[in-house]
Amino acid sequence: MTEKTTALTELKGVGHARAQAFFRIGIESAQDLIAYYPRDYEDRRELTPIASVQPGQTVMVQAQLLGAPTTFRKGRLTITRARAADATGSIQLVWFNQAYLTKNLQAGSIYVFVGKADHKYNTLSLISPKFHKGIEGERGILPVYPLCEGLTQAIVRQTMRQALIDTGRQEYMPREIRSRYGLCEYNFAVSQIHFPDSYENLDLARRRLIFDELFMLRLALLRLRDQRIQDKKGFRIQAAPDEEKLRARFGFSLTGAQERTWKEILADLSSDKAMNRLVQGDVGSGKTAVAMLALFAVARSGRQGAMMAPTEVLAAQHYESAVRLMEPLGVRVGFLAGSLTAKQRRDVYERIQLGLIDVVIGTHALIQEGVEYARLGLVITDEQHRFGVRQRAALAAKSEMPNVLVMTATPIPRTLAMVLYGDMDVSVLDEKPPGRRPVKTYCVNYTYEERIYRFIDKQVEAGHQVYVICPAVEEGETGDLHSVLELGEYMQKCVFPKRRVGILYGSMKAGEKDRIMQEFYEGKIQILVSTTVVEVGVNVPNATLMVVENAERFGLAQLHQLRGRVGRGGAESYCILITDAAQTLTRQRMKVLVDSEDGFLIAEEDLRLRGAGDVFGLRQHGLPELRLADLGRDLSTLREAGEAAADLLKKDPELSREGHELLKEQADRYMERGKDLAL
Ligand code: ADP
Ligand code: MG
């Protein structure tokens, strides 16, 4: 089904060159353009007399330029200044690195200046104001669009006006939903989001469009889930008759949460429906053991199991566990990752295809084109927040109807999980294995550096190991941040000449990376200076200290994840966050970590402080882009939209009732587009 679209060139006044410029930012039709929302608005309804301009306000003043602008340099900055006056007073105008813009300004002429007022160089100023001559120029609350070469605000605004005139869409949202949730009419919403008549109308427009985005997403996820429930996979996986033998090899008994989760998984595996389950468990909750039980059952039922990890280090670790646990019981385990030679890889491919491997563990290499499975029965992705939905689907596509198990340590607030994993069943590992001691967490500034070094030495002296995490690989990459290479070298040469300091970062050669990780694992390296590549999954129980440099650079959930690398053995463990950032927000964020080890609470705080896009890397999830909605801010709308979608499907599962025709069309199209994203 294709939507009737209007090519941009069909709009009055839009020529080839202009259409080309829009094309560059992915806009091909009038319909695309209408969905290109303003990033901001300028209130150009009324002029402000200069005497009443307040710092912090964005204002429009009409004033006479008192003299030609003067430009001077200060370091890398080019600063241009001028003064302008109206009948009530005068104000300074300042531009940074924009001398070219002010070339045409003439002393004595009258301009309209629009910009934000602030104190600069001891006087009230307009910062980088936009301007046009005389009294002409548009009035109203004007949209401000993201631009690219060949496009100006004026061009986008004019084209947008034309597009809004030439196109229109019939309302598709059922009347009951609109009235129950107080949603304004669709065409009104799009015209007001671009050219609001008032801020009240803008709010109404936003509410409607945000609701639509979340409603469509939720509706699509629910429909997918309904479809899946009808699918039969044609085979069942039973509990392994000798499961006890595998359990005996763990060396511990499962926690209650692990037992419960395993039961839920087994129920899925042994039913005739395909499993699609998310296992959520904080760092250290023991997800691997559950995965091993599932892989073992699958192998015993004569099918293949694949487990994909986001890094080679982690994949190798899982591989070792699987070999240690299962090979003695006759399960054939294989490994597939980028570092294999072409010959090794071909060999593994062949054995997978011939069914000579029962369980294969690896990285993205598992979903490469050449890999064909003889009888894939289960796909597990570990730490899935690093995988896009697309990759998850690519692996699933290797079998007609595989069981899918997704494991993540990212604690996702419930409302969000509803969107990110809206089509999945969820198990929660909410209990840690016994004997874990809390990790003592401190936040300090760089005056503590010497003391931290002494503390590191003390840990190493006691036979333990230490992680030091830096935000950058090389100096200069991001200003004055501590870097792995510099700090690693400094620590080795100047601070700990007698210890072995290892260096690890993502873009190292895979073989090299593995060697370092292996040596750390074996205790040959005592201090590992690394980027966040160690964030996910690696398990070195002897490590007792995690030091994070420039901690302000990391998200809370990420820091929590990093901290989860220590406290895995019996010994007292520590996490030291170092930051010189003095901002209140940074302080607040660090305090959350110092005070709590509850991953859910930390994620919710992070969400509140930073917004969802940053915390959960929504793009990585392959979700259709949410243009207006912000999952951190719009949680209540999300709840309402979710409720509306569920309610609608309950009453009309096929969307075939009268009055739902347009909505069905819209929803089908949405899912069709979503296919690329493997929604
Ligand atoms: P994660 O959920 O972070 O992937 P892991 O599976 O790596 O956690 O387990 C963390 C550590 O806890 C491992 O050393 C593992 O052997 C151990 N472990 C897992 N389950 C139990 C248990 N029930 N009792 C004791 N230790 C356990
Ligand atoms: Mg893990």
Side-chain angles (χ1 to χ4, degrees):
M1 194 178 326
T2 50
E3 187 178 17
K4 195 188 149 310
T5 54
T6 314
L8 279 185
T9 45
E10 286 174 51
L11 297 177
K12 206 168 112 226
V14 180
H16 204 68
R18 188 174 292 190
Q20 205 62 38
F22 278 111
F23 186 72
R24 250 179 265 139
I25 47 175
I27 295 173
E28 296 179 40
S29 66
Q31 285 73 16
D32 293 341
L33 183 63
I34 286 172
Y36 194 62
Y37 299 125
R39 67 169 166 75
D40 202 359
Y41 298 86
E42 273 171 22
D43 191 347
R44 294 210 191 178
R45 287 176 299 181
E46 279 174 51
L47 292 170
T48 307
I50 288 176
S52 53
V53 172
Q54 299 291 333
Q57 275 182 321
T58 298
V59 293
M60 173 167 62
V61 302
Q62 186 172 39
Q64 185 180 32
L65 198 67
L66 294 179
T70 55
T71 292
F72 65 98
R73 294 181 64 88
K74 192 173 167 194
R76 266 187 269 170
L77 270 186
T78 308
I79 301 169
T80 306
R81 290 196 291 186
R83 274 201 98 72
D86 68 6
T88 68
S90 76
I91 193 165
Q92 176 173 250
L93 313 166
V94 190
W95 292 268
F96 299 103
N97 292 334
Q98 288 180 321
Y100 59 95
L101 273 185
T102 58
K103 272 202 315 268
N104 302 324
L105 281 174
Q106 286 161 359
S109 295
I110 292 179
Y111 297 88
V112 171
F113 296 99
V114 181
K116 192 165 180 175
D118 200 356
H119 270 285
K120 269 271 144 42
Y121 312 111
N122 300 322
T123 171
L124 191 62
S125 310
L126 289 183
I127 311 302
S128 300
K130 298 197 195 90
F131 53 86
H132 52 81
K133 198 155 182 189
I135 355 266
E136 87 256 25
E138 283 188 86
R139 289 292 146 90
I141 302 173
L142 296 184
V144 179
Y145 296 99
L147 297 175
C148 76
E149 205 192 314
L151 293 178
T152 62
Q153 292 300 346
I155 291 179
V156 182
R157 285 174 190 160
Q158 192 209 343
T159 317
M160 192 66 78
R161 283 218 162 84
Q162 199 60 45
L164 288 168
I165 292 167
D166 289 2
T167 59
R169 173 179 277 165
Q170 243 177 302
E171 178 61 75
Y172 54 82
M173 190 65 84
R175 191 184 305 270
E176 316 91 82
I177 296 184
R178 271 183 52 204
S179 68
R180 171 145 33 117
Y181 296 99
L183 304 174
C184 66
E185 193 270 331
Y186 177 79
N187 289 308
F188 176 80
V190 274
S191 70
Q192 291 297 315
I193 196 92
H194 291 291
F195 300 101
D197 291 326
S198 66
Y199 282 105
E200 291 72 42
N201 282 353
L202 180 57
D203 283 346
L204 284 176
R206 257 185 194 294
R207 157 136 180 101
R208 163 68 203 255
L209 296 174
I210 289 173
F211 188 97
D212 277 26
E213 280 183 357
L214 298 171
F215 176 81
M216 281 300 168
L217 175 58
R218 191 67 192 127
L219 190 67
L221 289 166
L222 287 171
R223 291 175 89 200
L224 277 181
R225 185 191 178 121
D226 290 349
Q227 274 171 16
R228 178 170 59 79
I229 287 174
Q230 286 161 14
D231 288 340
K232 299 269 187 283
K233 67 190 172 209
F235 64 88
R236 291 168 194 250
I237 308 271
Q238 304 300 349
D242 54 347
E243 185 181 302
E244 281 313 315
K245 286 194 189 143
L246 182 72
R247 285 174 178 255
R249 303 186 62 81
F250 282 154
F252 48 74
S253 41
L254 297 191
T255 63
Q258 282 169 320
E259 290 290 2
R260 191 186 62 231
T261 299
W262 169 230
K263 245 197 219 115
E264 287 165 356
I265 292 170
L266 193 58
D268 288 349
L269 289 174
S270 59
S271 86
D272 61 357
K273 288 180 305 201
M275 171 168 75
N276 196 16
R277 182 170 292 277
L278 172 73
V279 173
Q280 223 182 346
D282 210 346
V283 262
S285 58
K287 293 183 289 293
T288 318
V290 175
M292 293 297 156
L293 280 166
L295 290 168
F296 187 64
V298 168
R300 279 291 186 261
S301 292
R303 300 235 153 216
Q304 290 169 307
M307 177 157 160
M308 182 159 71
T311 64
E312 184 147 353
V313 172
L314 185 54
Q317 208 162 63
H318 287 328
Y319 171 68
E320 270 167 38
S321 305
V323 167
R324 183 173 53 78
L325 292 167
M326 293 187 225
E327 273 197 351
L329 302 175
V331 174
R332 297 159 299 180
V333 183
F335 180 69
L336 197 53
S339 66
L340 298 188
T341 64
K343 187 173 166 304
Q344 286 170 323
R345 189 166 331 154
R346 266 200 311 278
D347 179 56
V348 179
Y349 282 3
E350 195 173 294
R351 285 189 294 138
I352 291 175
Q353 195 173 4
L354 294 174
L356 301 175
I357 287 179
D358 304 308
V359 167
V360 58
I361 295 180
T363 58
H364 288 77
L366 290 175
I367 55 174
Q368 236 104 69
E369 217 148 273
V371 195
E372 279 176 41
Y373 294 84
R375 37 173 207 287
L376 188 59
L378 169 67
V379 166
I380 303 180
T381 61
D382 190 21
E383 304 293 358
Q384 110 88 27
H385 59 290
R386 287 298 186 90
F387 276 121
V389 179
R390 195 184 314 227
Q391 288 146 324
R392 206 196 318 160
L395 185 50
K398 298 280 181 188
S399 152
E400 277 129 64
M401 189 59 68
N403 295 293
V404 175
L405 186 64
V406 170
M407 304 199 298
T408 178
T410 312
I412 304 161
R414 264 200 41 209
T415 26
L416 254 191
M418 186 168 101
V419 174
L420 297 182
Y421 303 105
D423 63 328
M424 309 190 90
D425 301 307
V426 180
S427 299
V428 183
L429 284 173
D430 50 7
E431 182 186 345
K432 293 219 168 154
R436 292 280 161 76
R437 289 208 239 164
V439 177
K440 292 196 169 149
T441 304
Y442 305 92
C443 179
V444 300
N445 59 28
Y446 277 98
T447 59
Y448 281 73
E449 203 159 19
E450 290 301 319
R451 281 166 68 180
I452 293 170
Y453 288 150
R454 281 201 297 278
F455 191 58
I456 292 177
D457 203 54
K458 218 169 106 191
Q459 291 297 312
V460 174
E461 195 55 45
H464 295 306
Q465 288 164 279
V466 178
Y467 293 99
V468 180
I469 306 298
C470 301
V473 177
E474 280 176 86
E475 208 78 19
E477 225 174 89
T478 25
D480 54 0
L481 297 178
H482 287 230
S483 79
V484 170
L485 292 175
E486 247 94 345
L487 189 66
E489 194 183 310
Y490 173 73
M491 284 182 129
Q492 179 72 86
K493 288 203 177 131
C494 310
V495 193
F496 304 108
K498 298 212 181 72
R499 315 285 187 200
R500 263 200 73 201
V501 178
I503 283 177
L504 189 73
Y505 52 91
S507 55
M508 267 162 86
K509 277 216 194 80
E512 182 72 356
K513 233 178 343 197
D514 289 337
R515 192 177 57 75
I516 299 287
M517 205 55 227
Q518 189 61 29
E519 286 185 0
F520 187 63
Y521 189 63
E522 290 167 6
K524 291 180 187 154
I525 289 174
Q526 290 90 42
I527 302 168
L528 185 64
V529 181
S530 167
T531 57
T532 55
V533 289
V534 297
E535 170 189 342
V536 280
V538 288
N539 190 27
V540 180
N542 190 43
T544 51
L545 172 59
M546 165 66 61
V547 178
V548 184
E549 304 270 339
N550 299 110
E552 76 280 357
R553 284 301 171 126
F554 301 94
L556 288 188
Q558 197 175 23
L559 288 171
H560 176 62
Q561 196 84 356
L562 284 168
R563 174 170 60 181
R565 297 307 111 214
V566 296
R568 301 186 147 238
E572 184 85 70
S573 295
Y574 308 86
C575 174
I576 302 179
L577 308 166
I578 321 180
T579 176
D580 269 343
Q583 294 96 322
T584 334
L585 183 61
T586 306
R587 297 259 155 246
Q588 272 177 7
R589 291 178 58 221
M590 296 302 134
K591 187 161 178 338
V592 175
L593 278 170
V594 170
D595 291 348
S596 171
E597 277 204 87
D598 177 343
F600 273 89
L601 192 141
I602 290 169
E604 281 187 7
E605 277 300 300
D606 211 11
L607 188 64
R608 201 171 60 73
L609 296 171
R610 284 199 308 156
D614 285 341
V615 179
F616 296 104
L618 290 185
R619 223 171 275 264
Q620 280 179 43
H621 281 279
L623 281 179
E625 200 180 344
L626 296 171
R627 287 167 183 264
L628 285 173
D630 173 328
L631 291 176
R633 190 194 55 206
D634 300 321
L635 282 180
S636 64
T637 310
L638 173 59
R639 211 168 296 126
E640 289 174 337
E643 175 192 283
D647 203 48
L648 178 73
L649 283 180
K650 209 182 295 155
K651 290 191 197 132
D652 184 10
E654 306 292 329
L655 300 181
S656 55
R657 287 221 204 142
E658 204 185 315
H660 294 170
E661 300 85 354
L662 287 171
L663 176 63
K664 179 169 191 317
E665 211 179 292
Q666 189 85 350
D668 286 348
R669 200 180 304 130
Y670 184 95
M671 286 176 77
E672 193 56 39
R673 263 186 286 140
K675 261 196 189 142
D676 297 340
L677 300 163
L679 195 135

